[in-house]
Amino acid sequence: MKKLLSLALALAMLTLAAGALAMTPGTYEATVPGMHGPMTVGITVTEDAITDVEVLSNVETPGLRDWVVEAIPAAVVENQSLSVDVVTGVSISSRAILSGVREALKLAGAEDGQFDVEIAKEVPTDEELTADVVIVGGGGAGLAAALSATEAGANVLLIEKTGFFGGNSIVSGGIFNCPDPDLQDYADITSSLDPLVEEALAEEPVDELHKQVQDTVRAQFEEYKKTDKHVFDSPEWFALQTWNGGDKVGMLDHLLFYAERAYPTLEWLESMGMEFAPKINSASGSLYMRTHTAVMPNGTGYFKAFQDTLATRQDLFTAKMDTTAESLITDENGRVIGVNCTAKDGHKVTAYGKNGVILATGGFAGNVEMRVKYCTSEKWPDLSAKVITTNMPGVTGDGLRMAQEVGAQLINMDQIQLLPYANPWTGATSDITLTYSASCYINKNGERFVREDGRRDEMSLAIIAQPDGLMYQLFSADAVPDPATGKTLGDKTVAYYLDNHLAGYVQADTLEGLAETLGMDPAVLQKTVDDFNSYVRGEATDPCGRITWTKELKTAPWYAYPRKPAAHHTMGGVNIDVDTHPLREDGSIIEGLYCAGEITGNFHGANRLGGNAIVDFCVFGRIAGANAAAGK
Ligand code: ADP
């Protein structure tokens, strides 16, 4: 354990020597509830001081926990106080650490309130800052923009509302779709995807661009059929499928631009150290075998690559954390020149961007008021606070309001995505077991009711219609041969969830036993699995319409855990051109401003394909950064 002794500690020793009860020197541990499960905190004390604090184990959100497990313990030791600031946006985990220290202190014999010492703070003064480029939002798009702007030699000031980088991007599935013909041909798949292409090509084109894209894909598909490859793909097919998958509500010209840049963007990520698993798969809701899966948990690999690279450009990159942007500043010609912000301690920060200001503040699926206001379509029966969310607390649609205030047009605002398989209590996704399609969805009666490789909106609606609006993800040793090594998205093992009774995970040695544990009729569940296996073998056609089959479910033990749809992504937002300039209703550009990431509304239409959002924030974050740096 690290030894941190400071002036505050020395003072604490003196004060305590004067009166308080002595603690028994030694090392103590306490286990307290964290955000997603138990957290064990260890402390070392002398008679009158805390000399070390360490988080010994936890199941906090990957990516977010990194911002607290060092900082909070260090602050406690430094200040000899439990009254340290929590990390904004990671407050539950921060408080869990403090509560662990408090419990451990009791074991050490500390007096109640002994370490509730007020910490003196400097009086804040207002600040006026200038950079070449100001970026609002330190999620995926914001950091991608910071990278390309600094790459171009611009100095960047990034304003982030919370105490961490990552936004919703860091808690995403970390998946990245793009055509990758060499790897795609090694995809584990027993069925042909060619009918999907044929179906899209058989459609009557709705306009000239649609026809042109179909013609291009048709020619590419004919060429592919002459080869011995077994998965067809191309940027144009990726664009067309994304557009069709969003009910043609997105913009096909924007999607062609996006899809063409997807693979070069993957290479850019890899050049910064981002690692993907060596096999392609079809992530749930992606509708095709073109998903690259991050090796690190959730979206953390992207942020490691981004932050490691930005750390080498410290002369050009500054971030103001715990600072909320509130409104844009324009000059007399309507050009955006800066941002008015307020820091957590209340002082004003006025940030001027000489070459441009980028809004990368994400979507609004976690903002109940906004999602209820805008999502007027009949698609979702309920979007009230009763619906859980996967979103981080800092992502509340602020940038949409700011952009609108300077004249930007908002489009497709009624399009919201529910993620079908979130933790029913917390909305978390880090506890999803990675089964790579070798699993099935069943309701509380043990019946299958939806294709697992379908659209996210269709899966979510189907789950909402089941008893209690929930489903179980069912898998077997065929997908996870050993629970001690089988991983969840957040990199914990299946065994961890089972042993700690977390997220509703259950295991049984027989399918019958699993049915009994879940209160299902064993005969119904057995038939569900038998039918499922007959579809995998190609002996029968799945009435739910699933196409991508991988493995039969045959081998014990059996596992299941419950899932519910959660408000996840907003497809609508600022209308931009492909250079990330926000547009007014008359099509004119708002000078000085750039928008990228989930704040924009042009791409995903009525249903975003799983694995397409990271491509979006990387491609357009980069463009925004480069264009803002050049003032273009
Ligand atoms: P994207 O995928 O588009 O990058 P994210 O959700 O990953 O979106 O990131 C959005 C980021 O913007 C989050 O880190 C969030 O805390 C930050 N943010 C949102 N509103 C503001 C604001 N008003 N001021 C500063 N940062 C903000």
PDB file of all heavy atoms in Angstrom, residues 528-544:
ATOM      1  N   THR A 528     -38.438 -25.388 -25.784  1.00  0.00           N
ATOM      2  CA  THR A 528     -37.831 -24.163 -26.336  1.00  0.00           C
ATOM      3  C   THR A 528     -36.406 -24.446 -26.810  1.00  0.00           C
ATOM      4  O   THR A 528     -36.016 -24.065 -27.920  1.00  0.00           O
ATOM      5  CB  THR A 528     -37.815 -23.050 -25.250  1.00  0.00           C
ATOM      6  OG1 THR A 528     -39.164 -22.749 -24.914  1.00  0.00           O
ATOM      7  CG2 THR A 528     -37.115 -21.790 -25.730  1.00  0.00           C
ATOM      8  N   VAL A 529     -35.649 -25.143 -25.964  1.00  0.00           N
ATOM      9  CA  VAL A 529     -34.245 -25.417 -26.309  1.00  0.00           C
ATOM     10  C   VAL A 529     -34.165 -26.424 -27.464  1.00  0.00           C
ATOM     11  O   VAL A 529     -33.356 -26.263 -28.389  1.00  0.00           O
ATOM     12  CB  VAL A 529     -33.479 -25.903 -25.052  1.00  0.00           C
ATOM     13  CG1 VAL A 529     -32.093 -26.415 -25.423  1.00  0.00           C
ATOM     14  CG2 VAL A 529     -33.364 -24.757 -24.054  1.00  0.00           C
ATOM     15  N   ASP A 530     -35.018 -27.452 -27.433  1.00  0.00           N
ATOM     16  CA  ASP A 530     -35.009 -28.442 -28.531  1.00  0.00           C
ATOM     17  C   ASP A 530     -35.325 -27.754 -29.865  1.00  0.00           C
ATOM     18  O   ASP A 530     -34.670 -28.016 -30.875  1.00  0.00           O
ATOM     19  CB  ASP A 530     -36.045 -29.547 -28.269  1.00  0.00           C
ATOM     20  CG  ASP A 530     -35.632 -30.437 -27.103  1.00  0.00           C
ATOM     21  OD1 ASP A 530     -34.445 -30.369 -26.703  1.00  0.00           O
ATOM     22  OD2 ASP A 530     -36.500 -31.176 -26.589  1.00  0.00           O
ATOM     23  N   ASP A 531     -36.323 -26.899 -29.847  1.00  0.00           N
ATOM     24  CA  ASP A 531     -36.688 -26.181 -31.084  1.00  0.00           C
ATOM     25  C   ASP A 531     -35.523 -25.302 -31.549  1.00  0.00           C
ATOM     26  O   ASP A 531     -35.164 -25.290 -32.720  1.00  0.00           O
ATOM     27  CB  ASP A 531     -37.927 -25.293 -30.851  1.00  0.00           C
ATOM     28  CG  ASP A 531     -39.196 -26.125 -30.710  1.00  0.00           C
ATOM     29  OD1 ASP A 531     -39.139 -27.336 -30.999  1.00  0.00           O
ATOM     30  OD2 ASP A 531     -40.229 -25.555 -30.295  1.00  0.00           O
ATOM     31  N   PHE A 532     -34.944 -24.574 -30.592  1.00  0.00           N
ATOM     32  CA  PHE A 532     -33.819 -23.673 -30.914  1.00  0.00           C
ATOM     33  C   PHE A 532     -32.712 -24.474 -31.613  1.00  0.00           C
ATOM     34  O   PHE A 532     -32.188 -24.071 -32.654  1.00  0.00           O
ATOM     35  CB  PHE A 532     -33.305 -23.049 -29.607  1.00  0.00           C
ATOM     36  CG  PHE A 532     -32.166 -22.089 -29.776  1.00  0.00           C
ATOM     37  CD1 PHE A 532     -32.400 -20.741 -29.981  1.00  0.00           C
ATOM     38  CD2 PHE A 532     -30.838 -22.528 -29.721  1.00  0.00           C
ATOM     39  CE1 PHE A 532     -31.352 -19.837 -30.128  1.00  0.00           C
ATOM     40  CE2 PHE A 532     -29.780 -21.634 -29.871  1.00  0.00           C
ATOM     41  CZ  PHE A 532     -30.044 -20.294 -30.067  1.00  0.00           C
ATOM     42  N   ASN A 533     -32.383 -25.629 -31.045  1.00  0.00           N
ATOM     43  CA  ASN A 533     -31.295 -26.436 -31.620  1.00  0.00           C
ATOM     44  C   ASN A 533     -31.639 -26.946 -33.020  1.00  0.00           C
ATOM     45  O   ASN A 533     -30.766 -27.061 -33.882  1.00  0.00           O
ATOM     46  CB  ASN A 533     -30.954 -27.605 -30.697  1.00  0.00           C
ATOM     47  CG  ASN A 533     -30.252 -27.108 -29.437  1.00  0.00           C
ATOM     48  OD1 ASN A 533     -29.715 -26.002 -29.423  1.00  0.00           O
ATOM     49  ND2 ASN A 533     -30.274 -27.913 -28.388  1.00  0.00           N
ATOM     50  N   SER A 534     -32.915 -27.222 -33.242  1.00  0.00           N
ATOM     51  CA  SER A 534     -33.299 -27.695 -34.579  1.00  0.00           C
ATOM     52  C   SER A 534     -33.122 -26.564 -35.608  1.00  0.00           C
ATOM     53  O   SER A 534     -32.799 -26.814 -36.755  1.00  0.00           O
ATOM     54  CB  SER A 534     -34.734 -28.234 -34.584  1.00  0.00           C
ATOM     55  OG  SER A 534     -35.652 -27.176 -34.453  1.00  0.00           O
ATOM     56  N   TYR A 535     -33.279 -25.302 -35.166  1.00  0.00           N
ATOM     57  CA  TYR A 535     -33.055 -24.176 -36.095  1.00  0.00           C
ATOM     58  C   TYR A 535     -31.545 -24.028 -36.360  1.00  0.00           C
ATOM     59  O   TYR A 535     -31.131 -23.746 -37.475  1.00  0.00           O
ATOM     60  CB  TYR A 535     -33.591 -22.846 -35.540  1.00  0.00           C
ATOM     61  CG  TYR A 535     -35.005 -22.908 -34.993  1.00  0.00           C
ATOM     62  CD1 TYR A 535     -35.354 -22.208 -33.837  1.00  0.00           C
ATOM     63  CD2 TYR A 535     -36.000 -23.677 -35.621  1.00  0.00           C
ATOM     64  CE1 TYR A 535     -36.640 -22.268 -33.328  1.00  0.00           C
ATOM     65  CE2 TYR A 535     -37.287 -23.732 -35.102  1.00  0.00           C
ATOM     66  CZ  TYR A 535     -37.598 -23.038 -33.958  1.00  0.00           C
ATOM     67  OH  TYR A 535     -38.860 -23.094 -33.437  1.00  0.00           O
ATOM     68  N   VAL A 536     -30.745 -24.217 -35.293  1.00  0.00           N
ATOM     69  CA  VAL A 536     -29.284 -24.102 -35.485  1.00  0.00           C
ATOM     70  C   VAL A 536     -28.828 -25.154 -36.502  1.00  0.00           C
ATOM     71  O   VAL A 536     -28.010 -24.870 -37.382  1.00  0.00           O
ATOM     72  CB  VAL A 536     -28.527 -24.317 -34.150  1.00  0.00           C
ATOM     73  CG1 VAL A 536     -27.013 -24.150 -34.376  1.00  0.00           C
ATOM     74  CG2 VAL A 536     -28.995 -23.334 -33.087  1.00  0.00           C
ATOM     75  N   ARG A 537     -29.391 -26.364 -36.388  1.00  0.00           N
ATOM     76  CA  ARG A 537     -28.979 -27.453 -37.303  1.00  0.00           C
ATOM     77  C   ARG A 537     -29.564 -27.268 -38.707  1.00  0.00           C
ATOM     78  O   ARG A 537     -29.247 -28.023 -39.614  1.00  0.00           O
ATOM     79  CB  ARG A 537     -29.430 -28.808 -36.737  1.00  0.00           C
ATOM     80  CG  ARG A 537     -28.709 -29.231 -35.460  1.00  0.00           C
ATOM     81  CD  ARG A 537     -28.975 -30.698 -35.132  1.00  0.00           C
ATOM     82  NE  ARG A 537     -30.392 -30.980 -34.934  1.00  0.00           N
ATOM     83  CZ  ARG A 537     -31.032 -30.891 -33.768  1.00  0.00           C
ATOM     84  NH1 ARG A 537     -30.367 -30.534 -32.674  1.00  0.00           N
ATOM     85  NH2 ARG A 537     -32.321 -31.148 -33.670  1.00  0.00           N
ATOM     86  N   GLY A 538     -30.442 -26.297 -38.844  1.00  0.00           N
ATOM     87  CA  GLY A 538     -31.050 -26.047 -40.150  1.00  0.00           C
ATOM     88  C   GLY A 538     -32.154 -27.039 -40.483  1.00  0.00           C
ATOM     89  O   GLY A 538     -32.573 -27.143 -41.651  1.00  0.00           O
ATOM     90  N   GLU A 539     -32.667 -27.748 -39.489  1.00  0.00           N
ATOM     91  CA  GLU A 539     -33.711 -28.750 -39.744  1.00  0.00           C
ATOM     92  C   GLU A 539     -35.114 -28.135 -39.771  1.00  0.00           C
ATOM     93  O   GLU A 539     -36.053 -28.755 -40.243  1.00  0.00           O
ATOM     94  CB  GLU A 539     -33.671 -29.830 -38.649  1.00  0.00           C
ATOM     95  CG  GLU A 539     -32.452 -30.718 -38.749  1.00  0.00           C
ATOM     96  CD  GLU A 539     -32.264 -31.565 -37.512  1.00  0.00           C
ATOM     97  OE1 GLU A 539     -33.173 -31.611 -36.642  1.00  0.00           O
ATOM     98  OE2 GLU A 539     -31.192 -32.177 -37.405  1.00  0.00           O
ATOM     99  N   ALA A 540     -35.231 -26.976 -39.176  1.00  0.00           N
ATOM    100  CA  ALA A 540     -36.543 -26.311 -39.156  1.00  0.00           C
ATOM    101  C   ALA A 540     -36.318 -24.811 -39.276  1.00  0.00           C
ATOM    102  O   ALA A 540     -35.213 -24.324 -39.036  1.00  0.00           O
ATOM    103  CB  ALA A 540     -37.265 -26.628 -37.841  1.00  0.00           C
ATOM    104  N   THR A 541     -37.356 -24.106 -39.663  1.00  0.00           N
ATOM    105  CA  THR A 541     -37.239 -22.656 -39.814  1.00  0.00           C
ATOM    106  C   THR A 541     -37.755 -21.978 -38.555  1.00  0.00           C
ATOM    107  O   THR A 541     -38.835 -22.316 -38.054  1.00  0.00           O
ATOM    108  CB  THR A 541     -38.069 -22.190 -41.028  1.00  0.00           C
ATOM    109  OG1 THR A 541     -37.640 -22.962 -42.142  1.00  0.00           O
ATOM    110  CG2 THR A 541     -37.871 -20.710 -41.318  1.00  0.00           C
ATOM    111  N   ASP A 542     -36.973 -21.042 -38.074  1.00  0.00           N
ATOM    112  CA  ASP A 542     -37.341 -20.340 -36.843  1.00  0.00           C
ATOM    113  C   ASP A 542     -38.559 -19.449 -37.092  1.00  0.00           C
ATOM    114  O   ASP A 542     -38.483 -18.524 -37.900  1.00  0.00           O
ATOM    115  CB  ASP A 542     -36.142 -19.493 -36.396  1.00  0.00           C
ATOM    116  CG  ASP A 542     -36.454 -18.647 -35.175  1.00  0.00           C
ATOM    117  OD1 ASP A 542     -37.441 -18.945 -34.474  1.00  0.00           O
ATOM    118  OD2 ASP A 542     -35.693 -17.686 -34.936  1.00  0.00           O
ATOM    119  N   PRO A 543     -39.660 -19.670 -36.370  1.00  0.00           N
ATOM    120  CA  PRO A 543     -40.825 -18.799 -36.574  1.00  0.00           C
ATOM    121  C   PRO A 543     -40.541 -17.355 -36.158  1.00  0.00           C
ATOM    122  O   PRO A 543     -41.220 -16.432 -36.610  1.00  0.00           O
ATOM    123  CB  PRO A 543     -41.910 -19.428 -35.684  1.00  0.00           C
ATOM    124  CG  PRO A 543     -41.212 -20.345 -34.756  1.00  0.00           C
ATOM    125  CD  PRO A 543     -39.906 -20.725 -35.387  1.00  0.00           C
ATOM    126  N   CYS A 544     -39.516 -17.138 -35.309  1.00  0.00           N
ATOM    127  CA  CYS A 544     -39.176 -15.763 -34.919  1.00  0.00           C
ATOM    128  C   CYS A 544     -38.319 -15.084 -35.990  1.00  0.00           C
ATOM    129  O   CYS A 544     -38.099 -13.874 -35.933  1.00  0.00           O
ATOM    130  CB  CYS A 544     -38.416 -15.740 -33.595  1.00  0.00           C
ATOM    131  SG  CYS A 544     -39.373 -16.338 -32.204  1.00  0.00           S
TER     132      CYS A 544
END
